[in-house]
Amino acid sequence: MTAVDARTGTTTPLRFPAGFRWGTATAAYQIEGAAAEDGRTPSIWDTFSHTPGRIRDGDTGDVAADHYHRMREDVALMKRLGVSDYRFSVAWPRVQPTGRGPAHQKGLDFYRRLTDELLAAGIRPVATLYHWDLPQELEDAGGWPQRESADRFARYAQLTAEVLGDRVATWTTLNEPWCAAFLGYASGEHAPGRTEPAAALRAAHHLNLAHGRAVQALRAALPPSAEVSLTLNLHAVRPLTPSDADRDAARRIDALGNRLFLDPVFHGRLPQDLVRDTESLTDWSFVRDGDLRTAAEPIDFLGVNYYAPTVVAAGTCPAPSPWPGAEEHVRFPRLPGPRTAMDWPVDAEGLYELLTGLRDRLPRVPLLVTENGAAYEDRVDPRGRVRDPERISYLRAHLAAVHRAMARGADVRGYFLWSLLDNFEWAYGYAKRFGVVHVDFETQRRTPKDSARWYADVIARGGLTGSGAPETDA
C-alpha cells in the first residue's frame, strides 16, 4: 500500500511518525483462564458461559489461552513482534473478588508480574480496568442498571492504581460500554444475558458515571504524568440511501451507538433527540444532578475500536435488539462484498470516516486505534505454518486508512492490533480466531501466523512498504 505522486506516477511507502505507538491487545476473560485460582471468583461471563445454550459448543473461558500460566511466553511473543505497547485488561473478580472490600493481593500479584515482565521487555503496559467481567455478586445486586455499581467501580479503580501505578503509566477505564450495556442488558447476546431495554439505558448512564468516577480515582492515585482514557466501539454509521427515512434511521443509531457516550464524556450532556426517541421506555430520571459533570472529567486520549461500518435503513429489526427505542425504525441491510469469518464486511473506508469524523467532533482530543483486526478460518498446515493472507490484506488496508486520516488532520497516536492470541471469542466460544498467533486450545501451543511476521515487519519499518506485505516465503 503506497502513496502515489500525481506528477510522476511513482509510489512511496506510507511512513508513520516517530513515536507512533504500535501495539496489540487482549482481554482478561478471553485469554487468562485460571478461572478459580488464587481467589478469583465468578464474573458475569463465568456464569453466562456455564449457562446451557448461551455459548457456541458449550465453551467457557475456564482455561481459554491459559495466559495466567503462560504469561512470560506470551510477553516473549510480543517482544518478537516488536510492539511498543500492550493493552491488557485487569480482571475485576481477580483483584476484588466480590466487587467490594479490600484488594486481593494474589490477584494483584499476577498483574505485578505481568507489568514487570512487559517493562523488562521494553513494552509499555496499557491497563484497561473493565473489559466486561463484572463480579457476579455485583450483578446479583442489580448490575450496571444499579447506581451502586459505579461507586464500586471507582473503588476498584483506586485499589488497582494504588498498586500498579508505579508500573503502569497508561490507563483505560472502560472498554466498549455500548456492548456492556446493550448486548448485556438489551439483546441478551452477552453476559449477563438480560433483555430489558429500559435497564440497558440505565446501564449505559451508570457506565458513563462509572467512567467519570474512575477518572477521579485514578487522578488521585496516579502521578500527574499518567495517561487516563476511555475506549469506545464507535459506529461508522451510513444511511443506505439519502432518503429522509434512511437518514433518520442513521441518526437514531448514531445517537445510541455514539453520542450517548461521546456527549456525556466530552460535553457533559445527553443527546436530546435520544431522550425523545426513548421516552416510551424511560424518563431518564435516574440521571442525577452532577452526574454529567462527573462523566465529563477530562481524559488524555480516546481509544477507538473499529471492525466494520454500520449501514442502516428505515425498517424494523428483530427483537430483542441492542437498540432500545430504535427497533421499529431501523434495519441493517446486508451489502455485497468480502466478509470476515464473523460475517462482518471488510471496509477500511469506515475507519477513515470514523477518524476524520472524530477530528471534526472532538478537534482537541488525541486518538488511539485500540482495536482493529479480523477473524478468518486459520489452520496450521502440515509444515507448521499458518497462512492468513486475508488478514494481512485487511490489516494493510486499515493501516493505510489510518495513515490517510492522519494526513488529513486526525490526531492518531497509535494502532493496537486485535488480537495477539486466538482466544475465547465471547458468545462464539473458540469458533472464531482473531489472533496473529494461533493457539491450539488442546495443547496451548502458540504458532505465529504469517500476519504476525507481517506486522513485525511493519513495526520495524515504521509503516507500509512500497510493495505491500513483506516476503513470507515458504
Side-chain angles (χ1 to χ4, degrees):
M1 187 65 62
T2 58
V4 179
D5 188 310
R7 295 169 299 168
T8 65
T10 59
T11 59
T12 56
L14 297 184
R15 299 296 185 198
F16 288 77
F20 191 78
R21 296 167 72 162
W22 296 101
T24 189
T26 64
Y29 189 71
Q30 292 184 274
I31 67 165
E32 282 184 4
E37 290 188 36
D38 293 334
R40 184 188 180 278
T41 58
S43 73
I44 55 175
W45 270 97
D46 294 275
T47 302
F48 191 74
S49 67
H50 281 267
T51 302
R54 291 296 197 177
I55 308 296
R56 181 177 295 189
D57 300 324
D59 292 336
T60 75
D62 289 358
V63 177
D66 198 30
H67 174 73
Y68 193 76
H69 299 113
R70 299 169 184 267
M71 173 268 292
R72 289 184 172 84
E73 177 185 359
D74 294 338
V75 173
L77 287 167
M78 292 180 232
K79 186 173 182 179
R80 286 169 56 189
L81 280 177
V83 296
S84 61
D85 292 66
Y86 172 49
R87 176 178 175 254
F88 63 93
S89 75
V90 177
W92 190 349
R94 200 178 291 286
V95 167
Q96 197 186 31
T98 66
R100 298 177 173 85
H104 185 64
Q105 292 306 310
K106 281 190 175 180
L108 283 169
D109 284 346
F110 170 72
Y111 297 105
R112 287 190 184 98
R113 295 193 300 272
L114 170 61
T115 53
D116 286 348
E117 196 77 12
L118 290 167
L119 292 169
I123 299 169
R124 181 190 289 112
V126 178
T128 297
L129 286 166
Y130 188 70
H131 202 130
W132 309 348
D133 47 2
L134 185 72
Q136 182 61 44
E137 286 200 24
L138 292 187
E139 175 58 27
D140 293 342
W144 285 114
Q146 295 299 314
R147 188 179 187 85
E148 182 187 7
S149 295
D151 300 328
R152 297 298 178 191
F153 183 68
R155 175 60 176 156
Y156 155 64
Q158 176 191 354
L159 291 172
T160 308
E162 286 173 350
V163 172
L164 298 180
D166 62 337
R167 296 166 169 83
V168 179
T170 304
W171 293 79
T172 297
T173 56
L174 307 172
N175 177 79
E176 299 185 349
W178 181 88
C179 293
F182 295 122
L183 297 181
Y185 292 94
S187 69
E189 299 165 72
H190 281 191
R194 290 162 59 178
T195 53
E196 306 165 31
L201 293 167
R202 293 199 306 273
H205 172 66
H206 292 141
L207 283 157
N208 284 337
L209 179 62
H211 158 72
R213 289 188 176 170
V215 172
Q216 293 171 340
L218 291 171
R219 297 288 190 205
L222 297 172
S225 59
E227 299 176 307
V228 178
S229 67
L230 169 69
T231 284
L232 301 176
N233 59 315
L234 296 169
H235 296 71
V237 183
R238 298 174 187 159
L240 181 64
T241 75
S243 71
D244 289 345
D246 285 1
R247 289 166 63 87
D248 185 65
R251 175 197 63 76
R252 291 172 183 271
I253 297 307
D254 180 57
L256 277 165
N258 297 331
R259 289 183 282 117
L260 177 54
F261 303 98
L262 291 174
D263 283 9
V265 169
F266 292 101
H267 305 299
R269 65 181 184 233
L270 284 172
Q272 289 306 300
D273 59 328
L274 174 61
V275 173
R276 292 190 298 270
D277 291 344
T278 56
E279 61 186 7
S280 65
L281 296 172
T282 181
D283 61 5
W284 293 86
S285 58
F286 50 82
V287 180
R288 299 183 185 175
D289 288 347
D291 283 3
L292 296 173
R293 287 193 301 276
T294 299
E297 284 287 327
I299 58 176
D300 297 298
F301 66 84
L302 175 65
V304 178
N305 293 355
Y306 173 84
Y307 294 93
T310 304
V311 179
V312 299
T316 60
C317 56
S321 92
W323 303 103
E327 299 97 329
E328 297 180 1
H329 303 275
V330 303
R331 63 183 178 91
F332 300 91
R334 180 184 177 89
L335 301 181
R339 304 180 84 84
T340 70
M342 296 291 288
D343 200 30
W344 296 343
V346 177
D347 189 338
E349 188 67 15
L351 180 55
Y352 170 79
E353 293 168 4
L354 193 57
L355 295 174
T356 53
L358 288 168
R359 172 203 63 196
D360 299 334
R361 285 189 184 194
L362 306 171
R364 291 177 294 279
V365 179
L367 308 172
L368 276 179
V369 177
T370 39
E371 288 184 26
N372 178 240
Y376 288 103
E377 302 293 340
D378 303 321
R379 294 177 177 82
V380 181
D381 70 17
R383 300 179 65 181
R385 179 170 166 181
V386 182
R387 304 172 188 266
D388 56 343
E390 292 173 308
R391 180 175 290 106
I392 292 172
S393 177
Y394 177 100
L395 296 172
R396 186 189 306 122
H398 285 75
L399 275 169
V402 173
H403 190 278
R404 185 157 58 98
M406 293 171 67
R408 285 157 178 77
D411 186 7
V412 184
R413 306 288 180 87
Y415 175 92
F416 292 9
L417 184 154
W418 184 271
S419 177
L420 175 69
L421 302 170
D422 290 338
N423 55 37
F424 176 84
E425 188 48 43
W426 307 116
Y428 292 92
Y430 298 102
K432 306 297 181 184
R433 294 180 177 272
F434 274 90
V436 292
V437 175
H438 181 278
V439 177
D440 180 325
F441 294 109
E442 294 296 324
T443 65
Q444 294 297 335
R445 181 177 180 179
R446 274 81 162 131
T447 303
K449 304 175 187 179
D450 283 1
S451 57
R453 296 203 292 271
W454 178 86
Y455 190 47
D457 186 82
V458 169
I459 294 170
R461 295 173 184 267
L464 300 167
T465 66
S467 59
E471 287 67 33
T472 53
D473 294 337

